[in-house]
Amino acid sequence: TDKEEDDLISSWCKTKQLICFRGSEWDVLGRFYNAYKKHSDAKVLVRICADNLLISFQVMDQVIERYCSIDCDYMSNANRPPNYSEDGFAVEVFSPRALELAHINSKLLSEREHVCPWMKKELKANWINTRAGYSHKLSVDTEQDLQAVERIFQELEAVSDFSIEDVDELLHNMPEIKLINHDSVV
């Protein structure tokens, strides 16, 4: 954000020669749109939220490939419970046109704060499951969520680029990990 408390993030990005775009704390859609307008001419946009720490390039590739193979404005593997909730691995893909229309037409705070709700309601949206039967709560919203995800990283430390299948299998074999954040809701 453009708040002083986020100066540390901006400074860190500068030391790593990373682009950092700052804007309103509550208007995430506006921040996303303005960052795109200032720094990109991409034909396809990918949104990954910071609370999805388990993001996998395989999942991302599947969602992008599906988006590119059908006629739609928005594609995701999450954010449409109960059938499309690959929580912790969520990817959203959309066109610059969809982003611009959402930016212009989103009036509700919930639409501005979460970037894609207007797109999912008003444009041609589609969803994909990349792992059949996946039903884990693995986005990080609470301390318990963070503990569960940290445990997954510990258990899969030896697996380079672990996948959604690896995590699903781990949780099947070690259900006690799911108990760490069993009170969290997908």
Side-chain angles (χ1 to χ4, degrees):
T1 72
D2 53 12
K3 294 179 80 171
E4 185 177 323
E5 64 195 48
D6 289 329
D7 289 349
L8 186 60
I9 295 169
S10 179
S11 296
W12 182 87
C13 288
K14 285 178 186 169
T15 66
K16 302 295 182 185
Q17 298 179 335
L18 298 171
I19 295 171
C20 178
F21 185 87
R22 301 182 74 176
S24 169
E25 177 180 29
W26 69 267
D27 186 7
V28 182
L29 173 57
R31 209 166 63 219
F32 200 98
Y33 175 77
N34 287 312
Y36 162 72
K37 293 300 279 182
K38 183 171 182 170
H39 296 290
S40 179
D41 60 357
K43 305 290 186 250
V44 175
L45 304 175
V46 178
R47 179 173 184 247
I48 301 167
C49 293
D51 62 353
N52 282 264
L53 303 179
L54 298 168
I55 194 63
S56 156
F57 76 88
Q58 297 102 331
V59 169
M60 193 180 320
D61 285 352
Q62 286 180 48
V63 177
I64 293 168
E65 287 170 12
R66 180 76 173 145
Y67 170 84
C68 291
S69 72
I70 66 171
D71 180 31
C72 69
D73 300 298
Y74 170 93
M75 171 70 65
S76 182
N77 66 322
N79 302 309
R80 190 177 185 199
N83 298 322
Y84 301 95
S85 292
E86 294 175 347
D87 199 68
F89 290 89
V91 176
E92 294 176 292
V93 180
F94 43 89
S95 66
R97 177 186 159 273
L99 178 62
E100 184 167 22
L101 288 171
H103 179 65
I104 292 167
N105 294 297
S106 294
K107 305 299 181 211
L108 301 174
L109 177 60
S110 60
E111 294 171 334
R112 307 291 313 172
E113 181 184 3
H114 296 288
V115 180
C116 297
W118 186 89
M119 290 181 216
K120 293 185 284 187
K121 269 189 324 195
E122 301 296 333
L123 300 177
K124 190 182 251 185
N126 212 313
W127 285 264
I128 180 176
N129 277 331
T130 65
R131 176 69 174 174
Y134 182 93
S135 62
H136 311 297
K137 170 32 177 127
L138 295 174
S139 59
V140 177
D141 300 304
T142 67
E143 182 65 33
Q144 291 78 19
D145 294 340
L146 180 59
Q147 291 169 6
V149 170
E150 285 176 336
R151 179 76 186 276
I152 290 167
F153 275 102
Q154 290 167 358
E155 294 296 330
L156 295 175
E157 184 177 15
V159 181
S160 68
D161 293 329
F162 61 79
S163 67
I164 192 171
E165 291 83 8
D166 295 325
V167 171
D168 198 28
E169 184 177 324
L170 174 69
L171 295 176
H172 176 73
N173 293 332
M174 297 181 74
E176 65 271 17
I177 296 174
K178 290 177 68 169
L179 293 177
I180 295 170
N181 67 336
H182 71 280
D183 291 335
S184 292
V185 179
V186 172

